[in-house]
Amino acid sequence: MGIRVVARVRPQQKKELGEDAIVTTTNGGERSLVKIPNPKNESEAFSFQFSGVYDHTSTQQELFDHEIYPNIKHLFQGFDVTIFAYGSTGTGKTHTMRGGKSLADRGIIPRLLSGVFRRARKIMKDSEGATSVGISLSYYEIYNDKVFDLFEMQEKRSIAGLPLRDNGGKTVVVGLTERPCESLKEFERLYDEANNNRSTSATKLNPTSSRSHAILRLKLSVSTGDQVRTSTASAIDLAGSEDNRRTENGKERMVESASINKSLFTLAKCVEAIGQGQGRIPYRESKMTRILSLGQNNGFTMMILNLAPSRSYHLDTLSSLNFANRTKTIEVREVENEPVFKGCTRAVPSFAGLAIQRQPLRPLASTVYNASVEGANTTAKRADRPSKAFNVYSDKERLSNGANHTSQLAGTKQPSPKKRVLDPTGYSALRHVKRPALVNRCTPAMSKQAIEEMIERKVTNILAAKALDQPSIAPQTEISEEVQRRLDMLEKKVGENEDGRQQGLAFLLMAKQHVVRGEDASALRMYRLAKDFFPGNKRLEAKIEKLQWKMEKEKPEAERREGTPATSLASKGHKSPPDGDADTDVLENAGESNRNAKSDGDIYLKAKCAKRRPPQVKEDIGSLTPRSRHLLDIINTRDVVSIRKLKGVGAKKAESIIAALTVVGEGGEDPFRNIASLQELSMLKGVGSKTVENMRAGLL
């Protein structure tokens, strides 16, 4: 059976009297239709058929008598009932479910409780007290996708709300208050107090707009003798979807509106997935859909669609009608809840015959020996039974248990005549059979010495078999001392040549880098260091001569500047004499054995050749302050720990400074030459004028 969908159209409000009423209804049994014009073409009209249609002239009592009252009978028969109101904001959902204070304006929920109490009193009266009916209530809301108990004050609520859990295929709210209700007057008191805790606020379309989904859960328990049947009725007042452009909501109202629209959108996705027969229904994407569980709840489900007749609600009304049209196709199962029996006793089977008598029950974990001891003990000494109800056979006999068992057997009396006599010919005779000790079966038949001899014999046989399988090794001829000495010298020479070639290539690469920067002096020093590793290389010698000629040509110009640090011609824009690709040729000659290695030009000609001046330092050699001398002393110590303590110097930069000092020392006459000025310190690789100033400023 599908979900029963009932449409109700509210009357127009005072501010809507000037608008046209575009919704028309026809209530004729099977021909209950709602018609609405096509918003794109007024000459066309859409028709929607539902189980019942009620226009603006219908009353609360009429709706209850035709739609809600028949479900009270199903509720007492053990079926679950779910009733929920759906529609956009301002269409009368809360009025339909809760109603007003007057008797004629009472909504579905008060009328439902009134009908339940009347039927409960009638059942108890007709059964003359044999049947009792218990009613309890739970009332909670879903506000911003958080569950809050409405029977608790807002000051006592937790920020996270109440959690949801699955129990037997149903979703339950953990920690929800359940109040017993014995009369309609008590219900009205509890209901009014709880509604005061519900989240409501005024919007442009509705002055008392509900900002949350409210769920009232009625639990009905019918007890007849030892049988208890429980059923539940859920009345849900859903918050309406909102268009913030029309409601003109503020910041807080927009957050609430986003949460409401999200839950209703998830409900629409669930209905669409059920209609298409998809395997996954997104119930868990919203707490409201998880609690409602359309299509999964086994009971009677009814949807009351609330509509507004005015033209200003045209699109909202059409959207609600499409949703209701899809919802009515969902199939639900009306499954009756199983009764629960209270205080039932197990029936003991009786056996006929003289030879068969009922025996006392024994624990399943007891052994044969304990069963015999249990039968031998009297009823008066049952409290003194051993702490363990089992016995484990082991190789070593336990003295404590043996003593207890001996004392118990010694103090036994004659068994009661009510108990059966042990049959010596049957299975009970096996209880007194003494079990042989396990130690005898584990006694070794060989001595320790015999076992060791057997192991040694087996190991000898295995080693001999392996020796026979291995091929014979031919004796090696002895090498004379002269041949061995020549081999060692050749190996040493090859290793030195390999290390020297790698180090020479490194010097060539560093020289090319200095040339690109315009540092001719440093480049000349690197070329001279590389010459020792590539003797007789004519291209390298030609490169050194060109650099020397260039530096000699620039020397008079530097002397005319009266001590100002010389600026390379490359930094001024002067072009050096064309020398071809000398560095590349040198590298090619040096690395003929390794053709796949990248040349000097391949690596550094791709770098950004930014033309810059050599770093300038404020202090000269002759005007060193104590702070500058202290800095140079720290650098000349070549101690990594001391250099790392300088400002702006890390572990990698300290190691690069020491490596640069080592290269400078190897190029000069004194391998341990010290740095004498800040200008010379700034010329080191990886150290600039800014770094020198930072190191100097960091000294106290």
Side-chain angles (χ1 to χ4, degrees):
M1 183 177 178
I3 296 177
R4 183 176 178 85
V5 179
V6 177
R8 187 185 188 188
V9 182
R10 68 164 174 82
Q12 286 184 314
Q13 299 176 358
K14 293 182 180 180
K15 61 182 180 180
E16 299 173 349
L17 294 177
E19 300 181 15
D20 297 335
I22 60 175
V23 179
T24 58
T25 60
T26 302
N27 192 1
E30 296 181 357
R31 299 295 298 172
S32 300
L33 300 177
V34 177
K35 295 183 179 180
I36 185 172
N38 186 354
K40 295 183 180 180
N41 187 1
E42 292 290 339
S43 61
E44 296 180 358
F46 297 119
S47 298
F48 299 90
Q49 183 177 358
F50 300 111
S51 301
V53 175
Y54 298 87
D55 58 8
H56 64 280
T57 61
S58 61
T59 61
Q60 299 277 53
Q61 186 65 36
E62 182 181 353
L63 178 64
F64 175 78
D65 292 339
H66 289 85
E67 305 296 340
I68 308 302
Y69 184 75
N71 291 313
I72 298 178
K73 178 181 65 175
H74 301 319
L75 186 63
F76 277 88
Q77 290 175 353
F79 293 94
D80 293 339
V81 178
T82 302
I83 304 169
F84 67 97
Y86 181 88
S88 59
T89 182
T91 55
K93 298 182 298 299
T94 304
H95 176 76
T96 301
M97 300 300 293
R98 186 196 303 180
K101 293 294 183 180
S102 63
L103 187 62
D105 291 340
R106 287 195 308 168
I108 289 176
I109 294 176
R111 294 176 187 272
L112 175 65
L113 267 294
S114 178
V116 169
F117 280 115
R118 285 200 305 268
R119 190 174 185 86
R121 288 195 299 267
K122 185 177 181 301
I123 291 176
M124 289 188 291
K125 183 179 179 180
D126 294 343
S127 64
E128 297 180 355
T131 301
S132 60
V133 180
I135 300 174
S136 59
L137 299 175
S138 300
Y139 198 19
Y140 57 96
E141 68 173 354
I142 304 176
Y143 177 72
N144 287 342
D145 207 31
K146 297 178 182 178
V147 180
F148 298 103
D149 191 354
L150 290 177
F151 284 142
E152 291 184 356
M153 301 297 294
Q154 295 184 359
E155 296 79 8
K156 297 181 180 179
R157 294 179 180 178
S158 61
I159 300 177
L162 301 177
L164 301 181
R165 297 290 184 269
D166 293 331
N167 184 17
K170 296 182 180 181
T171 303
V172 296
V173 182
V174 181
L176 188 62
T177 304
E178 190 171 294
R179 298 285 183 87
C181 187
E182 298 180 356
S183 63
L184 183 61
K185 186 176 181 180
E186 185 178 359
F187 160 73
E188 292 177 353
R189 180 182 60 82
L190 294 174
Y191 191 55
D192 292 339
E193 291 178 359
N195 286 326
N196 293 331
N197 297 328
R198 188 180 176 186
S199 301
T200 58
S201 181
T203 63
K204 184 179 179 181
L205 299 180
N206 189 359
T208 58
S209 175
S210 301
R211 315 309 298 167
S212 64
H213 309 294
I215 299 98
L216 176 69
R217 182 173 176 270
L218 183 148
K219 182 178 180 182
L220 181 68
S221 301
V222 181
S223 302
T224 304
D226 58 350
Q227 178 178 333
V228 180
R229 189 186 299 272
T230 304
S231 57
T232 58
S234 300
I236 305 173
D237 179 15
L238 296 179
S241 58
E242 295 182 352
D243 186 355
N244 291 321
R245 294 171 298 181
R246 297 177 58 201
T247 57
E248 298 181 0
N249 290 331
K251 181 179 180 181
E252 185 177 358
R253 300 288 85 80
M254 289 185 68
V255 173
E256 298 169 350
S257 176
S259 177
I260 294 171
N261 292 337
K262 177 185 175 182
S263 60
L264 294 176
F265 177 69
T266 306
L267 179 61
K269 290 199 302 183
C270 293
V271 172
E272 185 177 0
I274 295 172
Q276 295 178 357
Q278 297 181 6
R280 178 186 177 274
I281 312 299
Y283 290 114
R284 291 181 173 268
E285 293 185 7
S286 175
K287 291 187 178 180
M288 186 268 288
T289 55
R290 187 176 176 186
I291 292 174
L292 187 57
S293 299
L294 285 179
Q296 286 190 338
N297 47 355
N298 300 327
F300 291 88
T301 304
M302 175 182 292
M303 171 183 170
I304 302 176
L305 177 63
N306 294 89
L307 303 174
S310 302
R311 184 176 294 275
S312 58
Y313 288 86
H314 195 167
L315 296 179
D316 294 335
T317 302
L318 185 59
S319 176
S320 300
L321 288 170
N322 288 325
F323 173 79
N325 196 42
R326 292 192 300 267
T327 303
K328 70 179 183 180
T329 61
I330 299 176
E331 297 291 334
V332 294
R333 297 175 298 171
E334 290 80 10
V335 180
E336 182 181 354
N337 294 325
E338 293 292 336
V340 178
F341 295 92
K342 58 180 181 179
C344 59
T345 57
R346 284 186 66 182
V348 180
S350 60
F351 300 93
L354 298 176
I356 302 177
Q357 296 181 0
R358 182 176 179 275
Q359 300 297 322
L361 297 177
R362 300 188 181 96
L364 296 177
S366 61
T367 59
V368 175
Y369 176 75
N370 284 329
S372 62
V373 174
E374 189 75 14
N377 289 337
T378 59
T379 307
K381 291 189 176 182
R382 284 188 178 181
D384 300 329
R385 68 178 63 181
S387 59
K388 292 184 178 180
F390 57 90
N391 185 25
V392 179
Y393 290 100
S394 59
D395 297 341
K396 296 182 180 180
E397 189 175 1
R398 304 175 71 171
L399 299 178
S400 60
N401 291 341
N404 291 335
H405 295 160
T406 305
S407 61
Q408 291 175 5
L409 293 175
T412 56
K413 297 181 181 180
Q414 294 296 330
S416 174
K418 296 182 180 180
K419 297 183 179 180
R420 66 179 180 181
V421 182
L422 297 177
D423 185 9
T425 61
Y427 173 74
S428 60
L430 297 176
R431 303 177 187 177
H432 302 285
V433 178
K434 187 175 182 181
R435 184 174 179 177
L438 297 176
V439 181
N440 297 333
R441 289 186 290 179
C442 300
T443 303
M446 301 177 63
S447 62
K448 183 177 180 180
Q449 184 177 2
I451 293 174
E452 293 178 355
E453 293 177 356
M454 181 183 65
I455 294 173
E456 185 178 359
R457 185 169 58 256
K458 286 184 176 295
V459 171
T460 303
N461 294 337
I462 292 172
L463 293 177
K466 288 185 177 181
L468 292 175
D469 294 340
Q470 294 178 355
S472 59
I473 302 174
Q476 298 180 357
T477 58
E478 295 183 358
I479 301 176
S480 62
E481 295 182 0
E482 182 66 19
V483 174
Q484 185 66 32
R485 185 176 60 80
R486 290 183 179 181
L487 290 175
D488 295 341
M489 292 176 62
L490 181 61
E491 183 178 358
K492 183 177 180 181
K493 185 176 181 181
V494 170
E496 290 178 353
N497 291 340
E498 184 68 21
D499 296 340
R501 188 179 65 83
Q502 294 293 338
Q503 192 172 358
L505 290 175
F507 285 133
L508 287 176
L509 296 178
M510 294 172 64
K512 184 62 179 177
Q513 184 178 7
H514 288 303
V515 170
V516 172
R517 295 176 180 176
E519 302 170 354
D520 295 337
S522 300
L524 180 61
R525 189 184 304 113
M526 293 298 104
Y527 279 130
R528 288 175 178 175
L529 292 175
K531 183 180 178 182
D532 298 337
F533 298 96
F534 304 108
N537 194 316
K538 296 181 179 180
R539 292 182 179 275
L540 181 59
E541 293 176 355
K543 188 68 177 177
I544 294 173
E545 291 178 359
K546 287 183 179 181
L547 281 177
Q548 290 177 350
W549 172 81
K550 183 179 179 181
M551 293 179 64
E552 289 293 334
K553 185 178 179 181
E554 293 178 353
K555 187 174 181 181
E557 297 180 3
E559 291 177 354
R560 287 195 299 269
R561 297 191 188 108
E562 298 179 356
T564 305
T567 305
S568 64
L569 293 177
S571 63
K572 289 187 176 184
H574 299 286
K575 295 182 180 180
S576 58
D579 55 353
D581 198 2
D583 293 334
T584 306
D585 296 338
V586 171
L587 292 175
E588 289 178 357
N589 294 336
E592 291 180 356
S593 61
N594 188 8
R595 293 294 182 183
N596 296 327
K598 292 185 177 181
S599 65
D600 184 7
D602 292 334
I603 296 176
Y604 287 98
L605 289 179
K606 295 180 182 179
K608 182 178 180 181
C609 303
K611 299 180 180 181
R612 62 177 187 178
R613 298 177 179 273
Q616 302 290 336
V617 183
K618 296 181 180 179
E619 296 185 3
D620 202 354
I621 301 176
S623 59
L624 289 178
T625 61
R627 182 181 298 183
S628 302
R629 291 192 184 92
H630 182 44
L631 174 60
L632 295 178
D633 293 340
I634 295 175
I635 296 296
N636 292 326
T637 57
R638 291 177 171 81
D639 185 11
V640 179
V641 179
S642 301
I643 297 175
R644 283 184 59 183
K645 293 181 180 180
L646 297 175
K647 182 180 178 181
V649 180
K652 292 185 179 180
K653 182 168 286 189
E655 294 176 358
S656 64
I657 291 174
I658 294 176
L661 289 174
T662 305
V663 172
V664 171
E666 291 177 356
E669 298 178 357
D670 185 7
F672 299 101
R673 186 175 64 84
N674 294 331
I675 300 298
S677 65
L678 299 181
Q679 178 70 25
E680 189 176 356
L681 176 60
S682 62
M683 295 291 293
L684 294 179
K685 180 182 178 181
V687 182
S689 60
K690 188 174 182 180
T691 305
V692 174
E693 293 295 334
N694 290 337
M695 290 190 294
R696 183 176 173 276
L699 295 175
L700 298 177

